[in-house]
Each structure stands twice: as C-alpha cells, then as structure tokens.
Amino acid sequence: MDESGDLFFVKVFIEQGNLWVMICYNKQMNAKEGDGKMKRIFERIPASWYEQMINLLAERVVVVDRHGVILYINEPYCEFIGTTVEEAAGRPVQEVIENSRMHIVAQTGETELAALQSINGSEMIANRFPLFEDGEIVGAVGSVMFRNPEEWQMYKTKIQGLVEELSYYQAKAQKDLQSKYSFNDLIGDSSAFLAAKTLAERISGSNSSVLLIGESGTGKELFAHAIHHRSTRASSPFVAINCSAIPEHLLESELFGYEDGAFTGAKKGGKRGQFELAHKGTLFLDEIGDMPLSMQSKLLRVLQEKEICRVGGQKSIPIDVRIVAATHRDIEKMVAEGQFRQDLYYRLNVIKIDIPPLRERKKDIPAIAQYLLKQLEPRFYRHSLELSPEVMERLTGHSWPGNIRELENVLERSINVLDGKVIQLCHLPLYLRDQEAGGSNGDERKGDSSPCSEQAAPLSILPLKEEMAAMEKQAIQRALAAAQGNKLKAAELLQISKTSLYDKCKLYGLHS
C-alpha cells in the first residue's frame, strides 16, 4: 500500500534474456502502462500471480525509488537477510541490506551486472538495473543471483563445458593472431643455418611471398613467426593454418569463410575465413604441399586478384595479406609430376629459404639443447637444470630424424623422470641410451655408473602404462620422421589406421 491507500504491485517479464520489472498502481494502470499491446498481455495475467512469478524467476528481488527507499522486497530476500517485508518496506535500502548499492544505481542510472556483495559473511552475486519512465530515472531493481559460493559453484559446474569451450577458442584466437617468436629464438651458428636466418632477416621488411623448405621439425613455423615479427606488419595479425590437418571439404570454408546458410550446419551469420582474419598481416600456410589441386587453383586466384569470395557468397572482399608458405616435401619434384600447380609454385616461390635438418648442423645441438631446456623448466617448475657431458655427447651423436621437435621431446621426457638437476644417460629414452656414441660399450657402461646409476633403479621404473605410452609416442615420432611428416605413410609403417594415428598424435601432442 502507498500513502493514499492505493495498492501497487510489481510486474515481471523476460524479454531477450533480460529481466524486466514494472511497478504499477492498480487505479492508474491503464494510463501508465504505455504500450497498448503490452497492457493487453499483462491484463490476461491475474494480479495474484505476480508475486509468485517474481519468486520463481528471480528468487530474491528488491525495488527502490530514486531516493533509495524500498518500495518492494519479496519474502525470499527478506528471509535471506533476516527481516520481514513489513519491517523493510519504506526504509532506505542501505539500512536494510548490508553493503547495498541500490540507492547509488537509482541515482547514477548505471547498470551493475554480476557484482560481488558481502552479506551475512558470504559473498553473493547480484544484478542491479536502473528503472526509467519517460526518459527519467525513477528507481532501481536488484536481484540476488547466488546467495553463497556453493550456489555459484553448482552453477559453474553446470556450465563448465561451455566455459572450457569458450576458453579454448579465446586461447586459440590469441595464439593464432600474434607472432610468438623472434629471430632471437632461432638458435645456431652453423654456416647453413646462419645463411637461412640471415636471408630471412633481410627479406622480413618486404611484402613478397616466402616459401620455407625443410624437413618436419626443423623450425619452419618459428621462421614464419620471426619474419612476421620483424616485418612492417608486426602489429597486425599473424594467422597460421596447417593445410594437411584440415579435411579437404572444409579447407575452402576455413580459408575463405562462408555466408549464412551456405551449407547445412553453417553458423548463423556466417564466418570469416583465415584470409579475412589475416587482413593487413601475415598468413602462414604450413604444409602447402599437401593442399589438394582443386584448392590450389582457388588459392592462386586469390593471390592474383587480392580478393576472396566467401563460400555461398556473391560479394568480393579485398584482402591485403602477405603469404609465408612451408612444406617438408620436394615441391619441385611435385611440380614436375603434376602434383602441384606450377603457376602457384612460382607465385609462392618469390623468396625461397632452405632450412637445414639438425643432422647437418650438429655443432648447434648443444646450444639448442640448452635453449630448449630453459624453455621447458617453467613448465615443470624446475630451474638451473643441466646436461651431463655424456648426455651432450650422446645428443650430438644422434642423427635426429625428427629434428628439433624430436630433441625437445627427448628433453621433456628426461625432465619427467629426473630427480635432481643434472640429466644423465639413464634419463634419456631407451633408444638413445642403447645407442653407441663415440666410445666402446664398456666405456658407456662405465659412464653410466655415474651418480645417475645409483638412482637408476628407482628413476627408470615407471608404471607400466606410462612406459608403454612413452614407447608408443617414440615409435610414432620415428615413423613420422621416416615418412617426412606424411601421416598416411607413417600409419602404414606402424600398421595402424590413419584415424588411429591421428588420435594418438592428438593424445601425445605430436604434429607432423
């Protein structure tokens, strides 16, 4: 009741996901309701339902006038704060609700969403909305979403899948749209490697296309990142896409995007492709040699015309993108055999950079190993790790078919079984421990009887499941190296299906 004896009540409804609360006086409802259609809708609802609707939809609701005086508060809110509707109504909200900001929202007109508020020693979460009439602030409405952290945790559990999915795409977008490496991350002093690095630095400021040639694991993507980082496009996006990892029927929409309704399952509103995302920046096309011939002709047209057309679209979209492509294949042989378009090859091969494999730059292995070790330390919460002279000799003597990626995996495995600060021979994978490196077997066994051999028994014994997983990962790495990153050939070598190989590569974080 107000001072004149008129009965007021609160109308509540949801429109476009927002909670709307309307304070109406029974005598003047027809005059103040505004829109005729809305009035007719609410007239169908019995007045006795409104209180129940508020409690069901919002649970705990409070409404104040522009001076912060409580006009309405429902019983669930009163139970929450330990009062009654009769005691709370007509009083300033800050006297009734601990740490309330309702009176502030009623003055500023600023909405406050998911705000933390301490009540009864617990952090609750509240929403506060200003109420307007004829463009002027007349009050505010607030609702308590969660009364305590337990309620929030229960809600969080229900939406955890959505939160994780959102986090994944946020992380992917952040990762894909910036360069992570500079030329300082390209380690090595061998003549062949320095020649490649020097050429890459020299051409970074150009807008010409670059073709990076090198075996799997030699660091082609690091070169692409470094070129973008040094270029005039460094402040614009760096977008990387692996042409061999995307199914052929999805590659076009991934590169060029699609319009709303372009195909069954297309996202509403359409989607921008990688070319649009990389506008003004650099697009890195990894494993370009695995791109189907049908897509090669479409890519060639884009590079020539400097515009794309989304799948299902009619409008041409201009793009300004520098292309850096990479492949582990003999692309000149592929051109000669008709497996790769010659005109596209010449379009991409403006600047060609050959990155040498690790076996041709063994003098760089100690520096690379030390660098990788420092990069791995934070991941395992370790510091000041070292490689014993015997380990360094063994690493230098290995042929490294998987190149730098294999070296990094070996070091990561060694840290996992390390109980101390010095990596010894016994911490290396079995295929490296059994490999001769410059001395007789007797010398090696003598070397293994170092401080590491005293720990060898407890350190080398892992749960069978982990040992089997480690051996399976190493076998896959060797097969990928032998197949030069071709997963179909690697699967044939391992005598497993291509699907099984893809699943295992995903499980172990391996990329060809």
Side-chain angles (χ1 to χ4, degrees), residues 68 136 287 392 505:
E136 294 186 6
E287 301 302 348
M392 192 66 78
C505 287

mmCIF file of all heavy atoms in Angstrom, residues 68 136 287 392 505:
data_model
loop_
_atom_site.group_PDB
_atom_site.id
_atom_site.type_symbol
_atom_site.label_atom_id
_atom_site.label_comp_id
_atom_site.label_asym_id
_atom_site.label_seq_id
_atom_site.Cartn_x
_atom_site.Cartn_y
_atom_site.Cartn_z
ATOM 1 N N GLY A 68 16.308 5.783 -3.115
ATOM 2 C CA GLY A 68 16.843 4.603 -2.463
ATOM 3 C C GLY A 68 15.939 4.018 -1.396
ATOM 4 O O GLY A 68 16.372 3.156 -0.629
ATOM 5 N N GLU A 136 13.404 9.452 -17.674
ATOM 6 C CA GLU A 136 13.986 9.877 -16.406
ATOM 7 C C GLU A 136 14.086 8.692 -15.445
ATOM 8 O O GLU A 136 13.244 7.793 -15.455
ATOM 9 C CB GLU A 136 13.128 10.979 -15.765
ATOM 10 C CG GLU A 136 13.112 12.285 -16.549
ATOM 11 C CD GLU A 136 12.362 13.379 -15.793
ATOM 12 O OE1 GLU A 136 11.969 13.118 -14.633
ATOM 13 O OE2 GLU A 136 12.179 14.449 -16.367
ATOM 14 N N GLU A 287 52.584 -26.763 -44.544
ATOM 15 C CA GLU A 287 52.347 -27.968 -45.338
ATOM 16 C C GLU A 287 51.532 -27.659 -46.597
ATOM 17 O O GLU A 287 50.570 -28.348 -46.932
ATOM 18 C CB GLU A 287 51.651 -29.048 -44.490
ATOM 19 C CG GLU A 287 52.419 -29.465 -43.256
ATOM 20 C CD GLU A 287 53.833 -29.995 -43.550
ATOM 21 O OE1 GLU A 287 54.148 -30.261 -44.729
ATOM 22 O OE2 GLU A 287 54.622 -30.128 -42.607
ATOM 23 N N MET A 392 75.355 -34.860 -23.415
ATOM 24 C CA MET A 392 75.596 -33.943 -24.518
ATOM 25 C C MET A 392 76.284 -34.659 -25.681
ATOM 26 O O MET A 392 75.967 -34.431 -26.851
ATOM 27 C CB MET A 392 76.444 -32.763 -24.046
ATOM 28 C CG MET A 392 76.496 -31.623 -25.041
ATOM 29 S SD MET A 392 74.882 -30.834 -25.264
ATOM 30 C CE MET A 392 74.808 -29.811 -23.783
ATOM 31 N N CYS A 505 48.344 -39.045 -32.230
ATOM 32 C CA CYS A 505 49.093 -37.788 -32.365
ATOM 33 C C CYS A 505 48.454 -36.682 -31.521
ATOM 34 O O CYS A 505 49.146 -35.880 -30.878
ATOM 35 C CB CYS A 505 49.166 -37.363 -33.829
ATOM 36 S SG CYS A 505 50.281 -38.352 -34.841
#
